[in-house]
């Protein structure tokens, strides 16, 4: 079981992220008038400030959680994404404070009568649209940061079980997520036994998803996954562009492309190492190979 402190910190961060997501929906609802949005702003500002503190507490709890494993690199990878999220939430806090005070962009947050005046007259349509875009951006950043940090945290309690890689792939969500593109991937398996591996489903599915993100960020538009069996009995997954001589796909899927970039790649390397999965990135990130 995760330590109580780590579980509580993670719960507080999730609650704060849910509050920002709810405010994004409120901003997008035409049933809520400008004055209603303005009245909600001070409370949302307080929630954002509390979320920055919660993310700091979660980072500290993550570092302490990995002390016993003597794995500072794992803590560094998780804390890097949480730090990035904290900066993003702090930026949003300042922006919302200006809106709550009725101050024009570029000025600091107002107080007292300025705040009351902002609430009484509401915000105009242009300001509301800009706020909605900003809040949704932060919500997306938070969602990705928490997912990546949770993936690292999950390696504290790995629970290996027999898995079928094709089933793992099919269980990916193909539902559209606002602001996240859906990428088509194809899967070919030369040997049904190659699909059968043993591993923690969270680590395996998370690594597959991150690997697709890595090659997509490198410019591969439609990643192709090839599952094969090595002579020593291990299974390997190669994710890259589909070669002209490769076999027809066994499965074609559309999956939400959530993460790419160096922070996500750093998390992938840490999770693979802790889960004892060999992960090799080709030049430029256009090829990723995982061996189980």
């Amino acid at each position: 079981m995760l330590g109580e402190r780590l579980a509580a910190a993670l719960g507080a961060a999730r609650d704060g992220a849910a509050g920002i997501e709810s405010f994004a929906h409120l901003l997008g609802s035409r049933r809520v008038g400008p004055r209603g949005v303005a009245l909600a702003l001070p409370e949302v500002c307080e929630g954002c400030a509390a979320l920055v503190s919660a993310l700091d507490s979660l980072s500290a709890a993550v570092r302490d959680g990995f002390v016993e494993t003597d794995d500072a690199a794992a803590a560094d990878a998780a804390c890097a994404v949480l730090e990035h999220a904290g900066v993003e939430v702090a930026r949003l806090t300042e922006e919302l404070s200006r809106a709550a005070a009725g101050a024009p962009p570029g000025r600091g947050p107002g107080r007292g009568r300025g705040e009351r005046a902002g609430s009484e007259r509401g915000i105009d349509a242009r300001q509301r649209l800009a706020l909605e875009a900003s809040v949704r951006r932060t919500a997306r950043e938070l969602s990705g940061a928490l997912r990546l940090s949770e993936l690292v945290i999950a390696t504290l309690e790995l629970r290996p079980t027999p898995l079928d890689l094709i089933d793992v792939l099919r269980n990916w969500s193909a539902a559209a997520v606002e602001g996240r593109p859906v990428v088509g991937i194809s899967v070919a398996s030369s040997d049904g036994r190659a699909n059968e591996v043993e591993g923690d489903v969270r680590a395996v599915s998370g690594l597959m998803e991150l690997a697709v993100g890595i090659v997509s960020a490198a410019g591969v538009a439609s990643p192709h996954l090839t599952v094969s069996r090595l002579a020593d009995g291990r299974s390997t997954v190669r994710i890259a562009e589909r070669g002209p001589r490769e076999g027809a796909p066994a499965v074609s899927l559309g999956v939400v492309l959530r993460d790419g970039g160096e922070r996500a790649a750093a998390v992938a390397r840490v999770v693979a190492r802790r889960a004892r999965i060999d992960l090799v990135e080709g030049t430029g990130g256009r090829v990723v190979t995982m061996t189980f």
Side-chain angles (χ1 to χ4, degrees), residues 107-195:
R107 291 179 56 185
R111 297 184 180 181
R113 289 192 306 172
E115 288 185 349
R116 290 195 297 273
S119 294
E120 288 171 1
R121 68 172 173 268
I123 61 174
D124 61 34
R126 185 174 62 178
Q127 186 181 23
R128 179 170 181 163
L129 287 172
L131 277 179
E132 183 180 355
S134 184
V135 172
R136 291 192 182 280
R137 165 186 153 181
T138 301
R140 289 193 299 270
E141 293 290 339
L142 273 169
S143 175
L146 289 177
R147 194 185 70 84
L148 289 172
S149 62
E150 287 171 3
L151 184 55
V152 177
I153 292 169
T155 66
L156 288 168
E157 295 180 345
L158 290 170
R159 297 189 291 269
T161 59
L163 299 173
D164 185 299
L165 291 175
I166 301 297
D167 287 343
V168 171
L169 292 170
R170 285 196 175 110
N171 286 333
W172 281 2
S173 171
V177 176
E178 188 170 1
R180 302 287 191 188
V182 174
V183 61
I185 65 172
S186 56
V187 185
S189 178
S190 59
D191 180 351
R193 294 175 304 165
N195 304 333

Side-chain angles (χ1 to χ4, degrees), residues 20 48 51-52 55 85-94 138 142:
I20 290 180
C48 285
L51 178 54
V52 171
L55 291 170
V87 171
E88 178 65 22
V89 176
R91 178 203 62 78
L92 179 64
T93 304
E94 293 182 4
T138 301
L142 273 169

Side-chain angles (χ1 to χ4, degrees), residues 30-97:
R30 297 302 171 251
R31 301 173 68 178
V32 180
R35 188 168 181 272
V37 172
L39 289 171
L41 280 169
E43 183 177 349
V44 178
C45 288
E46 292 178 6
C48 285
L51 178 54
V52 171
S53 178
L55 291 170
D56 287 341
S57 296
L58 179 55
S59 292
V62 166
R63 290 207 177 276
D64 289 346
F66 280 95
V67 165
E68 291 185 5
T69 66
D70 193 24
D71 195 345
D76 288 345
C79 290
V81 296
L82 292 173
E83 180 181 357
H84 172 74
V87 171
E88 178 65 22
V89 176
R91 178 203 62 78
L92 179 64
T93 304
E94 293 182 4
E95 186 173 341
L96 295 178
S97 295

Side-chain angles (χ1 to χ4, degrees), residues 225-236:
L225 283 71
T226 305
V227 185
S228 57
R229 195 84 158 181
L230 300 179
D232 60 9
R234 294 184 298 165
S235 295
T236 186

